[in-house]
Amino acid sequence: MYERLYNTPQRHGFHWPGRIVAGEGVLAGWLNGERPRGLAIIADAAFADHPLVLAADAPLALVCREPRAEDAEAILRRIAPSNPETVLALGGGATLDIAKAVTAHLRHGSFAVRDVPRDGGAPALIAAPTTAGSGSETSRFFILADPASRAKIATRAWSLVPDLTLLDPGLLAAAPPRLLLLGAFDAAIHLWESFIARGEKSSFTAALTLTHLPRILAVLPELAADRPLSPAQRLALMEASAMAGVAISNVRTGLMHTLGEALSAQVNLPHPATLRVFLAPVMALYEHAVADDAAPLWRMADAVAPAGAPWSSDAFVAAWREAFGALKVDDAIAAAFEATPPSLDALMAAVARDTTIAKENPTPLDPGLLRLVAAAGLAVFQHPQAAHPAAVNAR
Ligand SMILES: [Fe+2]
């Protein structure tokens, strides 16, 4: 029964049922060494004629867009007749999410599984991510979109954590710089929000944040300058993303995700860009409340990412702001807002349905304060010339 629960100050645990193998060439090593029988591959379209995929000679389904329920159904129809013993998910977060959904259906006869136990039945799920950020490669979640309602259907089950996650930095080599930056930011915020959750945080997930968030910050200058990453830097991002996926499976995400997910229902932006909108006002909101907890994190960052030292809440915000500015992510957000101006009222209505955030935010949240924070985030991109709102912190 405890597997279903999130932590409380009185009862905290750590659950993760998967395995990880990381290193250059681990995907080829697994395919050639294991020679998995009954293999089916669900992959990004870019892998249609990849030598490893061709050599595997397995049923192949390609993913071309953000996951929708209808895509999962189409891929299920393609994959199911071969009755696979192993599903290899090879691609970004969208592909991994679809592979989880299809695997859920193959095992349980439905996409709508929730907290179902792993019964040991086929197929096994192997994840080889080609991006670093969403954490889908290790998390217990998958998300399918319903375009009709613009809603996202999130599903949760420990049994759908991939049985094996292969982190091969060679698979990240082709990722464009902006995608790397957005992914790194998503993973960083997963690690940060699980670190400062009021009741659910634990020493177990804090250890993941203390190790992996500074490693992301160490790579951030390379990302911001659009310099090519070394294999070690790519591996650092992949490992951080994977551990962030573990962290958010044990401790829920926080206010940036609550606001970002509400915004994504209105505006066509990648998930990490919606988080970026609220970075500064949310960090300012609870800066003093989390200062003691955050101090060892920033000192660790000083040691691991000395180029940005001394790290602090303000330095963290500034470093990401500089990187998003350099790679023109902020311009893209402002353009998206101009095309579809977000509604603050609709945003607040969506946020009001999230009962967790009221419990887990490091500071008490009343609707008026929450509205101020949300408005401050939106205002930066609706009126790019506006000074950054410091008023939130003054309340
Ligand atoms: Fe996220």
Side-chain angles (χ1 to χ4, degrees):
M1 64 167 281
Y2 284 136
E3 285 78 6
R4 295 185 180 192
L5 303 176
Y6 287 95
N7 290 333
T8 68
Q10 294 76 34
R11 174 196 48 72
H12 54 276
F14 184 86
H15 193 93
W16 194 67
R19 286 188 299 142
I20 296 179
V21 178
E24 193 86 35
V26 292
L27 173 60
W30 177 77
L31 281 167
N32 296 329
E34 297 281 321
R35 297 196 173 279
R37 294 178 351 142
L39 180 67
I41 301 176
I42 299 173
D44 282 3
F47 282 89
D49 52 4
H50 192 282
L52 283 176
V53 170
L54 295 176
D57 193 24
L60 173 66
L62 298 174
V63 178
C64 305
R65 59 183 179 185
E66 286 296 306
R68 297 178 179 178
E70 69 206 55
D71 299 332
E73 285 162 10
I75 288 175
L76 179 67
R77 284 195 296 274
R78 167 127 182 78
I79 293 289
S82 67
N83 203 17
E85 295 174 43
T86 303
V87 171
L88 169 63
L90 175 59
T95 297
L96 270 47
D97 274 14
I98 282 208
K100 286 174 162 175
V102 169
T103 300
H105 206 294
L106 290 168
R107 289 183 193 160
H108 305 290
S110 171
F111 296 124
V113 299
R114 190 170 176 86
D115 292 329
V116 289
R118 179 82 165 98
D119 58 8
L125 176 61
I126 316 299
T130 59
T131 58
S134 76
S136 182
E137 66 274 22
T138 52
S139 81
R140 59 166 161 162
F141 311 110
F142 63 87
I143 294 172
L144 295 176
D146 177 4
S149 65
R150 298 196 74 172
K152 293 194 172 175
I153 305 150
T155 303
R156 177 187 85 193
W158 280 117
S159 60
L160 288 164
V161 168
D163 299 284
L164 174 64
T165 299
L166 298 166
L167 302 179
D168 186 335
L171 295 176
L172 207 60
R178 198 190 278 191
L179 192 67
L180 288 173
L181 175 65
L182 288 167
F185 181 63
D186 195 16
I189 299 305
H190 294 159
L191 290 165
W192 169 255
E193 293 194 327
S194 60
F195 188 67
I196 53 89
R198 193 165 62 198
E200 292 181 356
K201 67 185 174 190
S202 78
S203 59
F204 308 125
T205 49
L208 301 179
T209 302
L210 288 166
T211 296
H212 291 282
L213 186 48
R215 294 181 79 197
I216 295 174
L217 297 178
V219 181
L220 190 50
E222 310 303 315
L223 295 171
D226 194 5
R227 286 192 287 266
L229 302 185
S230 68
Q233 289 169 325
R234 292 197 300 268
L235 189 57
L237 293 182
M238 296 184 99
E239 291 182 356
S241 170
M243 289 300 97
V246 173
I248 58 169
S249 296
N250 281 275
V251 177
R252 278 172 284 199
T253 53
L255 186 53
M256 271 181 262
H257 270 80
T258 299
L259 289 164
E261 283 158 12
L263 180 62
S264 72
Q266 298 187 47
V267 179
N268 187 23
L269 281 171
H271 163 70
T274 65
L275 307 181
R276 186 273 171 273
V277 169
F278 303 105
L279 171 67
V282 170
M283 294 292 288
L285 171 73
Y286 51 53
E287 180 179 354
H288 297 301
V290 304
D292 288 348
D293 284 344
L297 173 62
W298 302 137
R299 298 295 74 77
M300 187 73 100
D302 289 345
V304 174
W311 286 98
S312 64
S313 178
D314 288 347
F316 182 76
V317 171
W320 288 108
R321 185 190 297 139
E322 186 178 330
F324 284 125
L327 295 199
K328 308 215 177 306
V329 173
D330 284 1
D331 291 347
I333 296 171
F337 279 18
E338 202 168 329
T340 315
S343 156
L344 181 59
D345 288 337
L347 194 68
M348 298 319 299
V351 170
R353 291 193 286 273
D354 184 340
T355 52
T356 301
I357 197 61
K359 188 164 63 74
E360 290 298 327
N361 199 64
T363 53
L365 278 178
D366 66 68
L369 184 56
L370 196 51
R371 191 178 182 90
L372 194 63
V373 170
L378 296 180
V380 173
F381 299 94
Q382 288 168 318
H383 310 289
Q385 304 308 317
H388 203 272
V392 171
N393 211 18
R395 276 185 59 135

